[in-house]
Amino acid sequence: MLRTALAGLRAHLLRLLLTSLAIMLGVGFIAGTFVLNDTMEAGFSQRVTADADKVDVAVQPKDSDDVLPERVLERIRALDGVREAQGLIRGSAPVLGKNGKTFGNLPTTAVSVVHGPLDRTNIVAGTGPGGDDRAAVLDENTAKAQGFRLGDTITVLDDARAEHRFRLVGLLDPGLDQELSFTGAVGFTTATARRMTGEKGYHEIDVAGSAPGLEQAVAAAVGGSYVVKTGAELTEDLAAAAGVGTFTFTVGLLLFGVVAMMVAALVIYNTFNILVAQRTREMALLRCIGATRGQVFGSIVLESAVVGTLASALGLLIGYGLAALTLTVLDAFDTPLPTGATVSLTPGTIVIGLAVGVVVTVCAALLPARAATRVPPVAALRSQAEEQTFRARLPRGLFAAAFLVAGLGTTAAGMFVLEPGDQVSLFVVVAGGALTFLGVLILGPVLVRPLSALVGWIPGRLFGVPGRLAVDNSGRNPKRAATTTIALTIGVTLMTLISVVTASTRVTMTAQLDDQFPVDYVLTDQERESVIPRSVTDRLRAQPELSSVVRIREADAEVSGRRVRVGAFNGPVEPYVASGSMTGFGAGRAALNDSLAETLKVRVGDRLPITVPEHGTVELEVVALLDGSQSTLPSLTVAEQDFDAYFGALPDSRVMVDIKDGVPPEQARKVVDAAAAPYPTVQVASSTEARGQFDETLDMILMIITGLLGLAILISLLGIANTLSLSVHERARESALLRALGLTRTQLRRMLWIEALVLGLVGALVGVVLGSVYGWAAMRAMFAGSILSVPAGQIALFVVLSGLAGVLAALLPARRAARASIVASLAAG
């Protein structure tokens, strides 16, 4: 039986080719993800080790907001065995662009650059500041984005927002420091860094020394108020912090890999199912000459194991290539990920890739192998294998109904019973979607015939006899057709769902932005504090081009022992009121976010005592609770006159500007920019720009997800091509008979093209319905008051592309069928 199984593999090598491709692509994606992850982790390790190897002991504060005072550094330097100890300073120091304004959402982070054996700054161009207090270094990404070159003069603001000018002497690589990669970095000497940031201490002290028990000596010197680590522990912590982003990245990619392997499993199952059906006489002959059911079962499983092993091995090579290509692309786009490490296949990746491919292939072949054991020996006497007929039996209907009822009920609970915006509701909807999909999967063979007739109605009339034959063939073997189309359905369902969620999120967020901020421009500061001079608002209010200018101020107060952010309310912000009313909001009244009200156990109508700097404790009447998931007002809001009385004449934290009707936006923007120009930290953002950035982000996410799901679509199309190819072989005698009765080669090819078109459209339509329904369900679960938006054009494009891709997948099988000899095919039957 072993020799027979291997001979069968050689005989059906071409038939298994597309199956192998499906496995190779699925394994390649998963293996590529692991290779990518391994390479990035190796890069992290190399860079972290290179940085932290210089440190023997590191001292850090227990709370990241605290600092290490100078006396701690002095105690460490006085210890025996300490060759060197350096304190590292870090704090905000905004760098101004060439336009004289700050850039980015957060101020640039200033760091101290030490020189000597404890220097961990990676200077990639120029030099470090050394001992020059008028020299500075920038991270290379900031320098590139703002157009700075070595030798230029850069302007940096200190903690009092005074301007200081420095000569740019070097560019640094922030390495794996996530904060510096996000905010940008500017490096100074230790003294200059202290002066610019206003920091009173160090955020870390690094120690170099080789004396035995150095760590214990340092710990004893600094006391129990600080954390003392060895260089090895520092390395591990830095690597772990840097690896958080890669873990999420890897898990996300693996989810798409799982989808691809799920689709590949369906293709494998369908292929072996067809092969077993076509080899009925062969199985029967084996039974006649003494093969047992177990031997027949084992031969099919052996075939699947060999195919899975070979395809998985090739998939590992594909994964290696995909990882290398991805790292090349990431490197070309200057991403902060470490792409310099050598790409390699680790033993763990090899084992996982082979195991996934072989296990999925063998498991997908088990049911067809079991069906092969049921072939009776008498079947060897038949001249032609009988085509299996499908009957919709009661158990199938009951199982499908149970899954559908459970799935739809679970989905409804997630949408209408649980609280929107809660993660639990989204998980419940996902579970409901999985149950519903299983119900559709069970019901698939029942749905194929009516859907094929519906989809094929127009082609059947447009293309005459070939069209009608194609429609009949598409529903001829419902189980096979359902298994073929369900692979495509998975991909189209996910793509439609993502499209609906993306479009609905865009519409929902835009509507909420319009409701909350019916303004054209918003002036803010990077620090998000009340630092915008009131003169800016006063100047804007004097401009005839503007219809309204509203200032927002914020400060901290104490409520029931808690520090709470308090803001002044004077419109035109329309807060989302959960209960109560903002009508007549004035002195002595307050509005709370519902989350804070729940924490304080406060309801509308209660009196709330708050402690403010100028007035001590005052009582306010709670007149409204605001929906904290949608409102952008502070946790506690009071009337403007009360705010000024409690906190004094604070600067503004935000200023919202609305253009007068009929004024060109370009003209109004010049007026707003002119008012903000004297203040480098005041940034102007328009609602149009905010929406544009939001749309760009959503479009990029959609493009990435669509590209990743494209692999599942490709595998499903391979499944259609494989099914048609095997079907052409199975129906060779039938095709020859049609040719003998007058069907031309062109008509035969057209018949197979239309059959593939119908199968592709059936899978796509089911996917569109499921994706649209569960896209809406996901939106209801994620956002309260979400607005459904179905991108009809995009979804129609998915359907059209699925049909065209199905036709493309049928080109080679149709060409092969048309070129077959009529006489030879009839004789073979």
Side-chain angles (χ1 to χ4, degrees), residues 565-619:
R565 197 69 172 163
V566 181
F569 174 79
N570 63 352
V573 176
E574 295 294 336
Y576 286 86
V577 179
S579 61
S581 173
M582 295 291 287
T583 304
F585 191 78
R589 297 185 170 185
L592 274 72
N593 279 356
D594 49 9
S595 57
L596 177 61
E598 183 178 353
T599 301
L600 299 176
K601 302 192 182 309
V602 173
R603 295 179 295 179
V604 173
D606 289 351
R607 305 289 296 182
L608 181 68
I610 71 170
T611 303
V612 294
E614 299 295 330
H615 287 67
T617 301
V618 296
E619 282 197 350

Side-chain angles (χ1 to χ4, degrees), residues 629-646:
S629 63
Q630 301 187 71
S631 175
T632 57
L633 291 176
S635 300
L636 192 155
T637 303
V638 299
E640 187 175 20
Q641 58 268 39
D642 281 352
F643 185 92
D644 287 343
Y646 299 155

Side-chain angles (χ1 to χ4, degrees), residues 44-261:
F44 282 139
S45 179
Q46 289 174 10
R47 292 172 70 168
V48 169
T49 302
D51 288 342
D53 257 0
K54 302 172 182 178
V55 180
D56 293 305
V57 177
V59 182
Q60 297 173 336
K62 288 185 176 180
D63 191 332
S64 59
D65 293 332
D66 293 338
V67 294
L68 299 162
E70 183 70 31
R71 65 176 181 275
V72 173
L73 178 60
E74 292 173 357
R75 288 180 198 162
I76 295 172
R77 284 176 171 169
L79 293 174
D80 293 334
V82 173
R83 292 198 308 272
E84 185 172 359
Q86 293 283 359
L88 305 181
I89 293 175
R90 175 176 295 205
S92 296
V95 176
L96 303 187
K98 290 191 173 182
N99 61 354
K101 305 285 286 186
T102 57
F103 49 84
N105 294 323
L106 292 172
T108 315
T109 300
V111 295
S112 58
V113 179
V114 301
H115 54 88
L118 287 174
D119 180 11
R120 290 161 52 193
T121 307
N122 184 17
I123 302 295
V124 294
T127 63
D132 187 353
D133 288 339
R134 304 310 305 168
V137 295
L138 272 179
D139 70 283
E140 53 185 344
N141 291 330
T142 297
K144 181 178 179 181
Q146 299 302 317
F148 290 122
R149 297 182 179 180
L150 295 180
D152 287 352
T153 298
I154 62 173
T155 303
V156 187
L157 304 182
D158 63 17
D159 64 317
R161 293 302 182 262
E163 295 185 3
H164 300 263
R165 289 172 175 77
F166 299 89
R167 183 169 56 88
L168 183 61
V169 297
L171 302 179
L172 64 87
D173 178 3
L176 307 181
D177 194 310
Q178 302 298 308
E179 180 186 359
L180 298 186
S181 296
F182 184 70
T183 65
V186 55
F188 307 105
T189 62
T190 301
T192 304
R194 188 191 304 278
R195 187 175 73 251
M196 294 298 295
T197 61
E199 294 289 336
K200 305 302 181 184
Y202 306 103
H203 95 283
E204 180 178 317
I205 295 175
D206 292 343
V207 183
S210 56
L214 182 61
E215 180 189 3
Q216 291 77 10
V218 171
V222 302
S225 302
Y226 308 105
V227 178
V228 178
K229 301 176 181 178
T230 64
E233 290 171 340
L234 179 63
T235 300
E236 290 177 4
D237 291 346
L238 290 174
V244 170
T246 60
F247 175 77
T248 306
F249 179 68
T250 302
V251 169
L253 286 180
L254 284 178
L255 288 176
F256 290 100
V258 169
V259 171
M261 286 306 297

Side-chain angles (χ1 to χ4, degrees), residues 6 55 92 135 159 224 337 372 399 439 501 518 544 582 605 627 635 673 737 759:
L6 295 177
V55 180
S92 296
D159 64 317
L337 298 173
F399 273 114
V501 168
M582 295 291 287
D627 185 351
S635 300
D673 285 341
L737 185 59
L759 288 176

Side-chain angles (χ1 to χ4, degrees), residues 147 276 407 484 625:
V276 167
T484 302
L625 300 183

